[in-house]
Amino acid sequence: MAAVLDSVRALFAPKTDSAFIIDWENPGDVVARERLLDTAMGPNRRKKSSEAIRRGRTPAEGMALVARDESGHVIGTVRLWDIQAGVTPGGRPVPALLLGPLAVDCEHEGKGIGGALMRAAILEARKRGHGAILLVGDAAYYERFGFSADKTATLMMPGPFERNRFLGLELRDGWLAGAAGIIVPTGRKLVDVATRKAA
């Protein structure tokens, strides 16, 4: 991912007082990330259908990114999660990623940080061989990255959601073709990771 991050840095981090870099999230970022999400997403963020899919899971391998200011502080975050995006007509599970949440510190909005995080996440997902990314969000914002509600027309979130905000992006042509059903989490459980580290 170093080459991807370097190219994003070159494009989106001019040498000014608003410079930032895109980097992998590390364990020391947890408190700052959670504080940023609480502020940006509000007190009801944990009640969303997307959160139910993420709860108790770890992000997909290499798919937790942050934006840092020149002092190294977290000013933006995006994470992607392993899911099953329904099944094909033949019954084959369709692996994909669920993106979210994407958030930028309010003091740093309008500097291209959200766009840089999105582009880096999409590039990294493609590099790692993922077939598609799904998300629930503002279509007017995410369409610029290639997301469309057409790709999720036969898929459902496990709980209340707004159909026009449920979007998909194929990283491999036809990946979601014929996929139908409810989105379910498939990523590693936090308890499994903790047990493995203790062993």
Side-chain angles (χ1 to χ4, degrees):
M1 180 166 180
V4 171
L5 293 180
D6 287 344
S7 66
V8 171
R9 287 183 184 115
L11 287 171
F12 298 102
K15 302 300 182 212
T16 69
D17 59 352
S18 63
F20 61 91
I21 62 168
I22 305 299
D23 197 6
W24 280 292
E25 180 183 294
N26 66 57
D29 296 327
V30 172
V31 172
R33 181 197 70 229
E34 289 302 304
R35 186 178 299 127
L36 170 60
L37 290 174
D38 285 342
T39 302
M41 311 298 284
N44 293 325
R45 74 177 178 96
R46 290 184 173 86
K47 296 179 181 177
K48 297 180 178 181
S49 295
S50 298
E51 183 61 29
I53 293 172
R54 298 187 288 260
R55 192 173 296 120
R57 306 274 175 169
T58 63
E61 187 69 31
M63 298 306 307
L65 305 176
V66 294
R68 301 184 193 281
D69 65 13
E70 290 181 316
S71 300
H73 298 120
V74 173
I75 57 173
T77 177
V78 68
R79 303 167 103 201
L80 292 89
W81 311 79
D82 291 308
I83 58 167
Q84 178 181 316
V87 296
T88 65
R92 178 184 60 82
V94 180
L97 294 170
L98 179 70
L99 185 144
L102 168 70
V104 175
D105 185 300
C106 62
E107 294 183 10
H108 295 275
E109 289 178 351
K111 298 177 181 178
I113 296 169
L117 282 166
M118 283 298 299
R119 289 181 183 89
I122 292 167
L123 287 170
E124 186 64 15
R126 186 173 278 123
K127 176 184 166 189
R128 290 177 179 267
H130 293 285
I133 300 172
L134 307 182
L135 61 82
V136 178
D138 180 25
Y141 179 80
Y142 290 105
E143 284 172 351
R144 75 187 74 180
F145 305 106
F147 286 85
S148 165
D150 295 342
K151 300 295 182 185
T152 60
T154 54
L155 296 168
M156 300 284 290
M157 290 293 288
F161 72 101
E162 296 176 59
R163 171 60 64 189
N164 64 328
R165 291 171 54 83
F166 186 32
L167 313 173
L169 168 69
E170 288 181 328
L171 302 175
R172 298 186 191 184
D173 288 341
W175 190 261
L176 297 172
I182 297 177
I183 303 305
V184 295
T186 60
R188 295 172 299 161
K189 293 183 179 179
L190 286 171
V191 67
D192 295 341
V193 174
T195 303
R196 192 168 49 233
K197 286 182 179 177

